[in-house]
Amino acid sequence: MSEVLDETPDHIHSNLLETADYWLSVGLVLGLREPDQAQQLLQVIEAYEAERGELARDAKSLIGQVFE
């Protein structure tokens, strides 16, 4: 997300962050309530990801920042 913010005008950062927060919340709810479907969705997303491990590294980094 920091890369996106670096590449966009300051006046739209709040909208970008609000959108990211929304989709993160949707993903968390899906992961908790429908874990099998969440796993399938993640596999679809990762199939189109240029670097497959990037999402896992980002997730680990986020967890480290939030809970440590």
Side-chain angles (χ1 to χ4, degrees):
M1 189 71 204
S2 62
E3 291 173 5
V4 171
L5 294 175
D6 289 343
E7 297 172 359
T8 56
D10 290 344
H11 70 278
I12 63 168
H13 287 186
S14 62
N15 288 344
L16 291 172
L17 292 170
E18 185 177 333
T19 301
D21 181 62
Y22 171 78
W23 286 110
L24 178 59
S25 298
V26 167
L28 289 170
V29 169
L30 180 61
L32 290 170
R33 296 192 179 167
E34 303 290 339
D36 292 337
Q37 289 179 328
Q39 180 65 31
Q40 289 176 337
L41 181 58
L42 187 56
Q43 288 172 350
V44 169
I45 292 168
E46 287 179 338
Y48 294 99
E49 188 69 28
E51 188 176 333
R52 302 192 91 195
E54 187 175 351
L55 290 174
R57 285 191 301 278
D58 287 349
K60 187 174 182 177
S61 174
L62 176 64
I63 289 170
Q65 291 174 17
V66 171
F67 295 110
E68 292 181 358

